Amino acid sequence: MSESQERLQSEMPTTYDPTVAERKWYDTWIREGFFQAGRRPDAPKYSIVIPPPNVTGMLHIGHALDFTLQDILVRFKRMQGFDALWLPGTDHAGIATQTKVEQKLREEGKTRFDLGREAFLEKVWEWKEHYAGTIHSQWAKMGLSLDYSRERFTLDEGLSQAVREVFVRLYDKGLIYRGKRIINWDPAARTALSDIEVEYKEVNGHLYHLQYPLVDGSGHLTVATTRPETMLGDTAVAVHPDDPRYKHMIGKMLRLPIVNREIPIIADEYVDKEFGSGAVKITPAHDPNDFEVGTRHDLPQITVMDEGGQMNANAGPYQGMDRSDCRKAIVKELQDSGVCVKIEDHVHQVGHSERSGAVVEPYLSTQWFVAMKPLAERAIESQKAGQGVNFVPDRFEKVYLQWIENVRDWCISRQLWWGHRIPAWYCQTCGETHVSHDDLAVCPACGGSSLKQDEDVLDTWFSSALWPFSTLGWPNETEDLKKYYPVDVLVTGYDIVYFWVARMIFTALEFTGRVPFRDVLMHGLVRDAEGRKMSKSLGNGVDPLEVIAEYGADAMRYMISTGSTPGQDLRFRLEKVEQARNFANKIWNASRFALMNLEGFRHEDIDLSGALSTADRWILHRFHETAREITRLMESYDFGETGRLLYNFIWDDLCDWYIEFAKLSLYGTDDHAKRSTQSVLSYILDRTLRLLHPFMPYLTEEIWQHLPHEPGETITLAAWPAYDAAFEAGDAVKEMELLMDAIRAVRNIRAEMNVSPGKKIELLVKPTGTAEEAILRHNEEYVRRFCNTSALTLDAQLSPPDKAMTAILTGAELYLPLAGLIDIGQEIARLEKELSNLQAEVERVEKKLANEGYIAKAPAHVVEQERAKGEDYRDKRDKMMSRIAELRG
């Protein structure tokens, strides 16, 4: 043992202080470069790129879940011997970040226009630097094993080069174009929005029924709308071509009230003739579906609002009014004139800007678009051919395909200053548009120098879509790109499968010819304890740093990572975090006990080849069984079940059973038994800490450094425990199960009869066979110690005493003569309750085995296990019935 290790063993504090451990070990890990990829150049690679958080402020509990799951995977793979890369980075988050900075300017009584574009962008870069630093400190608090030497930002030089390369290539292929289409428009921020930036809220609105008169005076048509102010832009009314009510009207003209414009009645299959009146007003400039109808029928596109949500000249007498004020005024006029014949209360979903809160306006605007159909077709073909990505859970593949099969062209331009400026220049001399990798000063067409670059920037998701390969150096053929791309898994929330996951897939296929990742692990949202979505308005948000300060990073990590299954939402409960902290303390205390009994013991002293006790062989078997199952679960991303197995093995098998059994050897006089138990205890604790390390990195590093262990600087690089069949010990498992059942049964009877654990009792044991009798005699010392007996009788022929508490086990019957404490009536009632439970189990198994479908589908060994259970339950039931009959006399 080294001098430093002796010092560490002697200095393990009485209680675990997460704050000290977190500060000490993260600094050490980073300083020593333990998280840097490339340390094992000949090892197989494993890579993850972090979903880049926005540089808009503090990380929330959802980030903590997302990042913890990734860290668990990377630490697991690093310990398995992979050359593991976890690439960090942040997203410039165009509208979100610009909105934050503009809010700050407004507090100073300024706007971005007061500063000008360049000065404003300097302010945003200052904001970015500040919050990127904040994010770094939060990552450190969470214990994330990121390779900071490869950190990226969506506006850094390399990623900017990748963005331009993609834009130019798509433009040259005709897949990026500039055109006039309906988009989501934020009238407060005066910019186009992506779908993900639109938040739908349930609103108590109204449905207005309007009558439009026929020009020839022969009648009218009734239409309904929730947005009467848009009627000023109506250019037709549509009916279904097969609707007998309106066939004779198709082609006739209606007079649009207020503006007196004549508009046609057109036939289009878009109309649902069963809904409402079967007639639909068509406003091509203010509704995406109407825009498509209008395009098919070559209808005029009349915009009635400006970019700020004010009514424009096409609104006639309402010009200059705010759209909401216009709605009130126009409804009054329509009511007064008899055009509005009915107003109904109507609850509907209304889109709001996620950033400004303004009601989003479907708006006809000249923007840049990506033609999605050719890109989507390749992604669909790849997925259906079995060459796409593996969604976990697999139900999200259907969600992905449904979206991408019905995808519309993607509006990629934003009326902002912060972001990747669109690389398009307009010649003021010849009128040509030029898209270029490089900034242009001279027109390639006419040689003129009057060039003006497009003022808009690209949608944030455009650069985010390139993240898996641009961060590794694309479009250059870098060594990192060759080695680490495609990445192995993307971990992300199910709420952005359309907006980000799908876009990464089709851009990667287009520009690298390969899918960007092998697996997509979809996790749910973190909700409050009542299942509500966390929001500022409810005040139910959780700051992960506050949780860490109170309970430690490991407790938070363990709770959020093991609290749900893939794809399911997680309810955040502080009491669960507290339970995780208690779990950490249990491990700490067990480790301190082990170290106190390993004084002078070195890793080199471990010897598992000699004679071992039943408990030693059992814990070795259970550990390797657990390690094998945990490895399988980790590979399949089932962290919830992994956490359950770890908890049960550590709390129950290791702490509550094995360590208690080990005390007999450690405190005994048999030096060989003591050395064997020290070997097993050291071996098991070391490897158990390794299994736990991905979930609780700080606690495990702190303890591991105190323990005797294989040569190595850190548990983060220690080998992941591999299953070893040499430690299989089915006979020891059978022995321990009988011993533990007996001890549990005696403890339960003590509790029911209020007999103190410290009070010695007489115990009579009737084994059911010679094998069970041999087990109990071989381990008699355990039975005496943990049942705390004054007298122990082991006899397969014994007759049950009259006044004794009874326990029927698999392999033995236990009798506790508790003279003066037992009430025969109460004992019969207790046994009848147990009999009822046993009868229910018998019936459950018999019903299952009577199911032909189950017998046909279940594996043969599983069916045999159920049959064995049934026999065991029937045997216990029959013995219980006999004992009840005996007591009744």
Side-chain angles (χ1 to χ4, degrees):
M1 183 188 303
S2 68
E3 181 181 337
S4 61
Q5 195 170 357
E6 285 183 346
R7 179 178 51 78
L8 280 169
Q9 286 192 20
S10 65
E11 291 177 0
M12 190 168 178
T14 305
T15 57
Y16 174 58
D17 185 341
T19 306
V20 173
E22 289 162 14
R23 185 169 56 247
K24 174 174 66 176
W25 291 118
Y26 201 77
D27 288 346
T28 301
W29 294 333
I30 297 300
R31 184 178 63 251
E32 298 299 327
F34 294 147
F35 304 151
Q36 285 189 16
R39 291 173 64 96
R40 298 164 171 160
D42 298 325
K45 74 89 179 174
Y46 185 83
S47 55
I48 299 179
V49 290
I50 199 169
N54 296 344
V55 288
T56 50
M58 307 289 279
L59 301 180
H60 53 67
I61 197 69
H63 288 115
L65 169 62
D66 191 67
F67 299 155
T68 298
L69 296 181
Q70 294 169 68
D71 193 45
I72 287 169
L73 288 169
V74 170
R75 287 180 182 273
F76 168 54
K77 289 297 178 180
R78 194 181 286 121
M79 295 175 78
Q80 281 191 317
F82 285 81
D83 176 19
L85 166 64
W86 187 15
L87 187 148
T90 48
D91 196 307
H92 68 278
I95 187 171
T97 305
Q98 179 161 322
T99 300
K100 291 279 190 181
V101 178
E102 288 196 81
Q103 285 174 351
K104 190 177 177 184
L105 283 176
R106 277 197 294 274
E107 291 170 6
E108 301 170 6
K110 298 177 184 176
T111 70
R112 61 175 158 136
F113 301 103
D114 295 329
L115 273 67
R117 188 166 193 144
E118 294 307 315
F120 175 76
L121 289 178
E122 287 177 13
K123 290 280 187 187
V124 188
W125 276 104
E126 289 173 11
W127 174 281
K128 178 265 174 187
E129 292 302 322
H130 173 76
Y131 280 100
T134 301
I135 288 168
H136 266 231
S137 67
Q138 291 176 292
W139 282 342
K141 289 282 187 184
M142 294 176 197
L144 307 185
S145 59
L146 296 157
D147 183 351
Y148 290 105
S149 69
R150 290 173 166 86
E151 185 175 1
R152 304 305 301 266
F153 177 55
T154 50
L155 278 176
D156 69 28
E157 186 177 347
L159 269 65
S160 296
Q161 179 191 358
V163 166
R164 280 212 177 180
E165 181 71 24
V166 166
F167 191 98
V168 172
R169 284 200 206 176
L170 290 177
Y171 180 81
D172 288 346
K173 289 181 73 171
L175 295 178
I176 281 183
Y177 65 92
R178 192 166 184 251
K180 207 169 187 180
R181 298 181 68 87
I182 291 281
I183 47 89
N184 298 313
W185 184 262
D186 181 341
R190 296 187 178 229
T191 181
L193 299 174
S194 66
D195 291 340
I196 198 172
E197 290 160 340
V198 179
E199 192 175 53
Y200 285 90
K201 299 178 183 178
E202 196 171 84
V203 172
N204 294 317
H206 297 92
L207 192 62
Y208 303 89
H209 296 261
L210 313 178
Q211 286 186 345
Y212 290 0
L214 285 154
V215 171
D216 64 10
S218 62
H220 60 262
L221 271 183
T222 301
V223 296
T225 181
T226 58
R227 300 159 66 217
E229 68 277 10
T230 64
M231 67 162 288
L232 301 171
D234 288 358
T235 53
V237 169
V239 297
H240 195 279
D242 299 328
D243 192 331
R245 294 172 296 175
Y246 303 120
K247 267 192 172 183
H248 66 288
M249 292 187 179
I250 296 170
K252 288 190 174 186
M253 302 298 288
L254 295 163
R255 188 172 304 283
L256 186 65
I258 298 177
V259 292
N260 293 319
R261 185 168 57 246
E262 292 188 7
I263 59 174
I265 300 171
I266 61 173
D268 197 284
E269 291 184 348
Y270 156 71
V271 179
D272 180 357
K273 57 186 178 182
E274 304 301 326
F275 183 77
S277 68
V280 179
K281 63 189 281 298
I282 302 299
T283 320
H286 290 279
D287 184 276
N289 295 315
D290 293 3
F291 176 82
E292 298 298 335
V293 173
T295 301
R296 286 195 291 273
H297 295 270
D298 198 25
L299 296 175
Q301 300 166 342
I302 301 174
T303 304
V304 297
M305 298 176 203
D306 65 19
E307 294 179 350
Q310 304 289 314
M311 307 308 290
N312 64 16
N314 293 325
Y318 299 102
Q319 181 179 1
M321 291 183 72
D322 177 79
R323 57 184 172 157
S324 58
D325 294 332
C326 176
R327 177 177 298 182
K328 295 171 188 173
I330 207 168
V331 167
K332 185 178 185 307
E333 180 173 344
L334 293 172
Q335 284 179 304
D336 290 346
S337 62
V339 171
C340 182
V341 293
K342 184 168 65 171
I343 301 176
E344 293 179 290
D345 290 338
H346 181 64
V347 178
H348 59 139
Q349 295 289 321
V350 177
H352 291 71
S353 170
E354 186 182 49
R355 304 304 169 188
S356 72
V359 172
V360 170
E361 193 65 44
Y363 193 70
L364 184 64
S365 177
T366 300
Q367 304 284 344
W368 288 89
F369 295 87
V370 174
M372 287 299 303
K373 191 175 180 182
L375 298 170
E377 285 173 349
R378 183 171 183 180
I380 295 165
E381 182 182 334
S382 171
Q383 195 68 26
K384 290 187 173 179
Q387 298 168 346
V389 301
N390 174 43
F391 285 89
V392 182
D394 58 8
R395 69 177 182 271
F396 286 104
E397 179 181 36
K398 185 177 180 182
V399 174
Y400 160 72
L401 284 172
Q402 281 178 340
W403 182 80
I404 205 165
E405 285 171 348
N406 297 284
V407 71
R408 296 188 299 186
D409 286 359
W410 174 17
C411 175
I412 56 171
S413 47
R414 298 290 179 270
Q415 290 61 55
L416 304 169
W417 288 350
W418 174 244
H420 294 278
R421 195 166 175 181
I422 290 174
W425 284 261
Y426 307 109
C427 181
Q428 308 300 299
T429 304
C430 68
E432 289 291 313
T433 298
H434 302 283
V435 168
S436 171
H437 292 94
D438 304 311
D439 290 354
L440 295 179
V442 176
C443 176
C446 70
S449 58
S450 297
L451 287 174
K452 185 178 180 182
Q453 186 177 357
D454 196 301
E455 293 285 333
D456 292 350
V457 299
L458 289 166
D459 178 10
T460 294
W461 296 99
F462 191 91
S463 53
S464 299
L466 320 182
W467 188 251
F469 54 93
S470 64
T471 52
L472 294 170
W474 189 93
N476 301 313
E477 277 291 320
T478 63
E479 291 303 312
D480 276 2
L481 186 66
K482 291 176 188 174
K483 181 164 188 180
Y484 298 111
Y485 183 81
V487 300
D488 289 84
V489 63
L490 172 78
V491 181
T492 189
Y494 62 63
D495 53 332
I496 55 173
V497 64
Y498 317 122
F499 310 109
W500 191 41
V501 177
R503 286 167 178 168
M504 283 190 284
I505 293 171
F506 69 68
T507 52
L509 286 169
E510 174 69 18
F511 294 101
T512 72
R514 294 183 287 179
V515 291
F517 22 73
R518 173 174 52 87
D519 295 337
V520 181
L521 173 60
M522 313 297 296
H523 60 73
L525 305 177
V526 183
R527 299 184 179 274
D528 70 8
E530 297 175 30
R532 299 175 301 177
K533 189 174 180 179
M534 292 185 180
S535 68
K536 289 180 181 178
S537 60
L538 290 174
N540 61 348
V542 174
D543 181 350
L545 293 193
E546 290 181 3
V547 179
I548 290 170
E550 179 71 19
Y551 300 97
D554 288 333
M556 183 195 72
R557 287 169 59 106
Y558 191 83
M559 182 270 164
I560 60 175
S561 62
T562 63
S564 68
T565 55
Q568 299 300 311
D569 290 346
L570 167 72
R571 291 194 179 195
F572 187 88
R573 294 184 173 95
L574 280 176
E575 57 268 30
K576 292 288 187 182
V577 185
E578 190 168 356
Q579 288 174 14
R581 181 180 62 183
N582 294 342
F583 180 43
N585 289 336
K586 180 93 167 178
I587 298 163
W588 181 264
N589 292 333
S591 301
R592 285 191 74 249
F593 164 80
L595 282 168
M596 286 188 289
N597 289 278
L598 291 173
E599 188 174 349
F601 190 86
R602 302 170 303 167
H603 176 265
E604 295 78 13
D605 297 329
I606 293 177
D607 181 4
L608 304 177
S609 61
L612 299 175
S613 70
T614 298
D616 289 339
R617 294 175 62 233
W618 169 76
I619 197 66
L620 287 165
H621 174 101
R622 283 289 299 120
F623 171 79
H624 282 277
E625 184 177 58
T626 302
R628 177 177 58 186
E629 186 62 8
I630 283 174
T631 302
R632 184 189 69 79
L633 291 167
M634 293 280 277
E635 297 284 5
S636 59
Y637 307 113
D638 194 343
F639 303 119
E641 186 63 12
T642 299
R644 188 188 67 81
L645 283 188
L646 272 170
Y647 187 94
N648 289 347
F649 174 77
I650 293 171
W651 193 288
D652 297 336
D653 294 350
L654 180 57
C655 296
D656 284 356
W657 287 108
Y658 178 70
I659 285 179
E660 291 304 311
F661 275 47
K663 288 176 182 178
L664 295 184
S665 300
L666 294 172
Y667 297 163
T669 57
D670 185 335
D671 288 342
H672 174 75
K674 179 177 181 179
R675 266 337 234 188
S676 295
T677 298
Q678 285 178 319
S679 291
V680 172
L681 187 57
S682 179
Y683 176 92
I684 293 294
L685 189 53
D686 168 22
R687 282 156 178 78
T688 300
L689 290 171
R690 299 188 207 185
L691 291 181
L692 183 62
H693 175 71
F695 295 86
M696 292 185 160
Y698 290 119
L699 175 79
T700 52
E701 182 76 273
E702 182 69 20
I703 297 173
W704 192 80
Q705 292 291 346
H706 288 83
L707 282 177
H709 57 71
E710 295 171 359
E713 298 174 87
T714 173
I715 195 173
T716 65
L717 300 178
W720 182 258
Y723 173 75
D724 189 342
F727 290 105
E728 283 190 11
D731 58 328
V733 172
K734 186 176 180 181
E735 289 183 34
M736 280 295 290
E737 284 176 351
L738 178 53
L739 293 172
M740 291 188 296
D741 282 350
I743 294 164
R744 270 192 291 259
V746 171
R747 287 174 175 173
N748 289 341
I749 290 172
R750 280 179 177 273
E752 287 183 35
M753 301 304 296
N754 292 316
V755 177
S756 166
K759 184 178 179 64
K760 290 190 176 294
I761 58 165
E762 182 183 357
L763 176 62
L764 301 134
V765 182
K766 182 180 181 180
T768 56
T770 55
E772 288 77 12
E773 184 172 1
I775 290 170
L776 290 165
R777 291 199 181 281
H778 178 66
N779 296 285
E780 190 173 328
E781 186 181 6
Y782 292 136
V783 179
R784 289 184 183 278
R785 166 68 180 83
F786 295 108
C787 292
N788 195 17
T789 61
S790 57
L792 173 64
T793 302
L794 290 172
D795 185 354
Q797 306 303 319
L798 72 78
S799 299
D802 291 336
K803 290 193 174 184
M805 299 290 285
T806 306
I808 308 291
L809 312 177
T810 301
E813 298 170 32
L814 308 184
Y815 301 98
L816 283 73
L818 299 175
L821 293 175
I822 187 167
D823 179 301
I824 296 296
Q826 286 183 359
E827 176 64 353
I828 290 173
R830 185 180 73 84
L831 295 181
E832 284 180 335
K833 185 177 180 182
E834 290 191 27
L835 177 63
S836 175
N837 293 335
L838 285 168
Q839 181 61 34
E841 288 299 321
V842 168
E843 291 173 2
R844 181 188 64 79
V845 173
E846 288 178 347
K847 183 178 179 182
K848 183 181 282 188
L849 292 173
N851 184 334
E852 293 181 3
Y854 170 77
I855 298 296
K857 293 178 183 178
H861 74 279
V862 173
V863 175
E864 283 306 311
Q865 286 174 358
E866 284 299 311
R867 288 197 175 110
K869 283 182 187 177
E871 287 299 320
D872 186 45
Y873 289 137
R874 278 188 287 272
D875 182 56
K876 288 179 181 176
R877 177 198 63 186
D878 295 345
K879 288 176 179 175
M880 190 69 72
M881 292 170 69
S882 297
R883 179 57 178 158
I884 292 170
E886 288 172 2
L887 289 173
R888 283 178 172 155

